[in-house]
Amino acid sequence: MKDIDKDYLSCRLCPRNCMVDRTTTRGYCRELNTLHVSRAALHMWEEPCISGTSGSGTVFFSGCNMGCVFCQNRKISRGEVGKFISTERLVEIFFEQQERGANNINLVTGDMFIPTIADAIERAKDQGIKIPFLFNTSSYLNIESVKRLEGLIDIYLPDFKYIREEDAVRYSNAPGYPEAARAAIAEMVRQCPECVFETDAKGQELIKKGVIVRHLLMPGMLIQAKMITKYLYETYGDNIYISLMNQFTPGEGLEKFPEINRKITEAEYRSLVDYASNLGVVNGYVQEGETASESFIPEFDCEGV
């Protein structure tokens, strides 16, 4: 048996600690140990320093260890679409993204496949890939999983969804999320303690190393958003970037959660941005315009896979 397969025999990649043998049985994440990818293409809608003018080379993995009632990517988070691929094919995809002119390899929700992804990155680096690797995650991870990526991931793009346990359980069925996210992000910052940027030929400043923490403002959760912003700034200061997002998009299935079955108001979002500014946050990103739109959700049609 390959060493990588052993990592899936009693899965403890995330705080659920399912201990499922994913070589034969699907975990809570709905995935086995075989890479399951739903899309590999350039993506223009990340933070400007990630997408730039050329795009971010996203690789969307199917499955998810969260259970968000408001999920925008249900088709892939439920494992309903995607192709099963080998590690060798994933390495090929990395180089195809580089050839398309991608600024980075953006691994979206690869949390369930970290051992295999780590192996693929090692192979790609050995073969001379030049662009940085970015890990785009919910942060619902065990710290040992994040440590597995040390020296392989150049840029971390973690969410910090909740700082209140009751909200993590109610809206994402993710017990222990606040503690897990704090620990995971701390390990990411330990690995990448400062943000490093370079200016490309078109004058666009691109991130090459560091941590950008995202928080999606949810309806009725302005206080929690401010608590998260305060925690991040007081803990990490200007060593990280904080990305405050207003693109919460209500979809199907929220009838049982009427308190979040709406979009964010301008007043709510402005209050959060003003709060961050008054705290002293300078290294950050905000969203402008009509970002809470389904048009920003890509088609998961296995493009590029």
PDB file of all heavy atoms in Angstrom, residues 33-46:
ATOM      1  N   ASN A  33     -10.735   8.484  -1.346  1.00  0.00           N
ATOM      2  CA  ASN A  33      -9.379   9.025  -1.379  1.00  0.00           C
ATOM      3  C   ASN A  33      -8.920   9.406  -2.789  1.00  0.00           C
ATOM      4  O   ASN A  33      -7.826   9.929  -2.960  1.00  0.00           O
ATOM      5  CB  ASN A  33      -8.394   8.009  -0.790  1.00  0.00           C
ATOM      6  CG  ASN A  33      -8.320   6.727  -1.607  1.00  0.00           C
ATOM      7  OD1 ASN A  33      -9.303   6.297  -2.196  1.00  0.00           O
ATOM      8  ND2 ASN A  33      -7.149   6.116  -1.652  1.00  0.00           N
ATOM      9  N   THR A  34      -9.758   9.170  -3.792  1.00  0.00           N
ATOM     10  CA  THR A  34      -9.405   9.495  -5.176  1.00  0.00           C
ATOM     11  C   THR A  34      -9.719  10.960  -5.468  1.00  0.00           C
ATOM     12  O   THR A  34     -10.820  11.430  -5.173  1.00  0.00           O
ATOM     13  CB  THR A  34     -10.183   8.607  -6.159  1.00  0.00           C
ATOM     14  OG1 THR A  34      -9.952   7.237  -5.832  1.00  0.00           O
ATOM     15  CG2 THR A  34      -9.731   8.864  -7.582  1.00  0.00           C
ATOM     16  N   LEU A  35      -8.775  11.677  -6.039  1.00  0.00           N
ATOM     17  CA  LEU A  35      -8.978  13.081  -6.377  1.00  0.00           C
ATOM     18  C   LEU A  35     -10.235  13.262  -7.217  1.00  0.00           C
ATOM     19  O   LEU A  35     -10.441  12.549  -8.201  1.00  0.00           O
ATOM     20  CB  LEU A  35      -7.772  13.619  -7.152  1.00  0.00           C
ATOM     21  CG  LEU A  35      -6.459  13.753  -6.374  1.00  0.00           C
ATOM     22  CD1 LEU A  35      -5.318  14.014  -7.343  1.00  0.00           C
ATOM     23  CD2 LEU A  35      -6.554  14.861  -5.334  1.00  0.00           C
ATOM     24  N   HIS A  36     -11.073  14.227  -6.831  1.00  0.00           N
ATOM     25  CA  HIS A  36     -12.346  14.478  -7.500  1.00  0.00           C
ATOM     26  C   HIS A  36     -12.377  15.965  -7.839  1.00  0.00           C
ATOM     27  O   HIS A  36     -12.463  16.817  -6.946  1.00  0.00           O
ATOM     28  CB  HIS A  36     -13.493  14.100  -6.558  1.00  0.00           C
ATOM     29  CG  HIS A  36     -14.821  13.961  -7.224  1.00  0.00           C
ATOM     30  ND1 HIS A  36     -16.005  13.830  -6.530  1.00  0.00           N
ATOM     31  CD2 HIS A  36     -15.175  13.928  -8.539  1.00  0.00           C
ATOM     32  CE1 HIS A  36     -17.007  13.713  -7.368  1.00  0.00           C
ATOM     33  NE2 HIS A  36     -16.537  13.773  -8.583  1.00  0.00           N
ATOM     34  N   VAL A  37     -12.272  16.307  -9.113  1.00  0.00           N
ATOM     35  CA  VAL A  37     -12.111  17.692  -9.551  1.00  0.00           C
ATOM     36  C   VAL A  37     -13.235  18.083 -10.493  1.00  0.00           C
ATOM     37  O   VAL A  37     -13.571  17.349 -11.424  1.00  0.00           O
ATOM     38  CB  VAL A  37     -10.742  17.891 -10.241  1.00  0.00           C
ATOM     39  CG1 VAL A  37     -10.573  19.321 -10.730  1.00  0.00           C
ATOM     40  CG2 VAL A  37      -9.615  17.523  -9.275  1.00  0.00           C
ATOM     41  N   SER A  38     -13.827  19.250 -10.265  1.00  0.00           N
ATOM     42  CA  SER A  38     -14.984  19.676 -11.048  1.00  0.00           C
ATOM     43  C   SER A  38     -14.686  20.780 -12.058  1.00  0.00           C
ATOM     44  O   SER A  38     -15.473  21.028 -12.969  1.00  0.00           O
ATOM     45  CB  SER A  38     -16.098  20.167 -10.117  1.00  0.00           C
ATOM     46  OG  SER A  38     -15.649  21.293  -9.379  1.00  0.00           O
ATOM     47  N   ARG A  39     -13.546  21.452 -11.920  1.00  0.00           N
ATOM     48  CA  ARG A  39     -13.238  22.543 -12.851  1.00  0.00           C
ATOM     49  C   ARG A  39     -11.773  22.933 -12.682  1.00  0.00           C
ATOM     50  O   ARG A  39     -11.252  22.972 -11.569  1.00  0.00           O
ATOM     51  CB  ARG A  39     -14.132  23.756 -12.581  1.00  0.00           C
ATOM     52  CG  ARG A  39     -13.878  24.966 -13.475  1.00  0.00           C
ATOM     53  CD  ARG A  39     -14.839  26.095 -13.096  1.00  0.00           C
ATOM     54  NE  ARG A  39     -14.504  27.363 -13.732  1.00  0.00           N
ATOM     55  CZ  ARG A  39     -14.910  27.738 -14.939  1.00  0.00           C
ATOM     56  NH1 ARG A  39     -15.689  26.937 -15.644  1.00  0.00           N
ATOM     57  NH2 ARG A  39     -14.566  28.909 -15.438  1.00  0.00           N
ATOM     58  N   ALA A  40     -11.125  23.264 -13.787  1.00  0.00           N
ATOM     59  CA  ALA A  40      -9.753  23.775 -13.764  1.00  0.00           C
ATOM     60  C   ALA A  40      -9.655  24.836 -14.848  1.00  0.00           C
ATOM     61  O   ALA A  40      -9.579  24.512 -16.042  1.00  0.00           O
ATOM     62  CB  ALA A  40      -8.746  22.658 -13.994  1.00  0.00           C
ATOM     63  N   ALA A  41      -9.688  26.093 -14.441  1.00  0.00           N
ATOM     64  CA  ALA A  41      -9.733  27.178 -15.424  1.00  0.00           C
ATOM     65  C   ALA A  41      -9.272  28.477 -14.779  1.00  0.00           C
ATOM     66  O   ALA A  41      -9.177  28.583 -13.550  1.00  0.00           O
ATOM     67  CB  ALA A  41     -11.152  27.339 -15.967  1.00  0.00           C
ATOM     68  N   LEU A  42      -9.009  29.465 -15.610  1.00  0.00           N
ATOM     69  CA  LEU A  42      -8.652  30.783 -15.094  1.00  0.00           C
ATOM     70  C   LEU A  42      -9.870  31.423 -14.443  1.00  0.00           C
ATOM     71  O   LEU A  42     -10.992  31.307 -14.941  1.00  0.00           O
ATOM     72  CB  LEU A  42      -8.137  31.671 -16.233  1.00  0.00           C
ATOM     73  CG  LEU A  42      -6.827  31.245 -16.895  1.00  0.00           C
ATOM     74  CD1 LEU A  42      -6.484  32.192 -18.042  1.00  0.00           C
ATOM     75  CD2 LEU A  42      -5.695  31.213 -15.885  1.00  0.00           C
ATOM     76  N   HIS A  43      -9.634  32.096 -13.334  1.00  0.00           N
ATOM     77  CA  HIS A  43     -10.721  32.720 -12.575  1.00  0.00           C
ATOM     78  C   HIS A  43     -10.336  34.173 -12.329  1.00  0.00           C
ATOM     79  O   HIS A  43      -9.245  34.468 -11.834  1.00  0.00           O
ATOM     80  CB  HIS A  43     -10.904  31.975 -11.251  1.00  0.00           C
ATOM     81  CG  HIS A  43     -12.134  32.338 -10.497  1.00  0.00           C
ATOM     82  ND1 HIS A  43     -13.405  32.126 -10.982  1.00  0.00           N
ATOM     83  CD2 HIS A  43     -12.305  32.900  -9.280  1.00  0.00           C
ATOM     84  CE1 HIS A  43     -14.303  32.526 -10.095  1.00  0.00           C
ATOM     85  NE2 HIS A  43     -13.654  33.017  -9.061  1.00  0.00           N
ATOM     86  N   MET A  44     -11.248  35.094 -12.654  1.00  0.00           N
ATOM     87  CA  MET A  44     -10.934  36.524 -12.594  1.00  0.00           C
ATOM     88  C   MET A  44     -11.507  37.228 -11.367  1.00  0.00           C
ATOM     89  O   MET A  44     -11.314  38.431 -11.219  1.00  0.00           O
ATOM     90  CB  MET A  44     -11.466  37.213 -13.863  1.00  0.00           C
ATOM     91  CG  MET A  44     -10.931  36.648 -15.163  1.00  0.00           C
ATOM     92  SD  MET A  44      -9.131  36.689 -15.296  1.00  0.00           S
ATOM     93  CE  MET A  44      -8.828  38.452 -15.159  1.00  0.00           C
ATOM     94  N   TRP A  45     -12.202  36.507 -10.502  1.00  0.00           N
ATOM     95  CA  TRP A  45     -12.982  37.170  -9.461  1.00  0.00           C
ATOM     96  C   TRP A  45     -12.428  36.999  -8.055  1.00  0.00           C
ATOM     97  O   TRP A  45     -13.156  37.160  -7.081  1.00  0.00           O
ATOM     98  CB  TRP A  45     -14.428  36.690  -9.522  1.00  0.00           C
ATOM     99  CG  TRP A  45     -15.064  36.949 -10.859  1.00  0.00           C
ATOM    100  CD1 TRP A  45     -14.909  38.060 -11.641  1.00  0.00           C
ATOM    101  CD2 TRP A  45     -15.949  36.081 -11.568  1.00  0.00           C
ATOM    102  NE1 TRP A  45     -15.635  37.946 -12.795  1.00  0.00           N
ATOM    103  CE2 TRP A  45     -16.296  36.730 -12.784  1.00  0.00           C
ATOM    104  CE3 TRP A  45     -16.494  34.831 -11.304  1.00  0.00           C
ATOM    105  CZ2 TRP A  45     -17.154  36.166 -13.724  1.00  0.00           C
ATOM    106  CZ3 TRP A  45     -17.341  34.266 -12.248  1.00  0.00           C
ATOM    107  CH2 TRP A  45     -17.664  34.936 -13.435  1.00  0.00           C
ATOM    108  N   GLU A  46     -11.153  36.660  -7.944  1.00  0.00           N
ATOM    109  CA  GLU A  46     -10.534  36.642  -6.629  1.00  0.00           C
ATOM    110  C   GLU A  46     -10.056  38.054  -6.290  1.00  0.00           C
ATOM    111  O   GLU A  46     -10.245  38.993  -7.072  1.00  0.00           O
ATOM    112  CB  GLU A  46      -9.354  35.657  -6.612  1.00  0.00           C
ATOM    113  CG  GLU A  46      -9.697  34.244  -7.062  1.00  0.00           C
ATOM    114  CD  GLU A  46     -10.500  33.450  -6.030  1.00  0.00           C
ATOM    115  OE1 GLU A  46     -11.305  34.050  -5.293  1.00  0.00           O
ATOM    116  OE2 GLU A  46     -10.338  32.216  -5.985  1.00  0.00           O
TER     117      GLU A  46
END
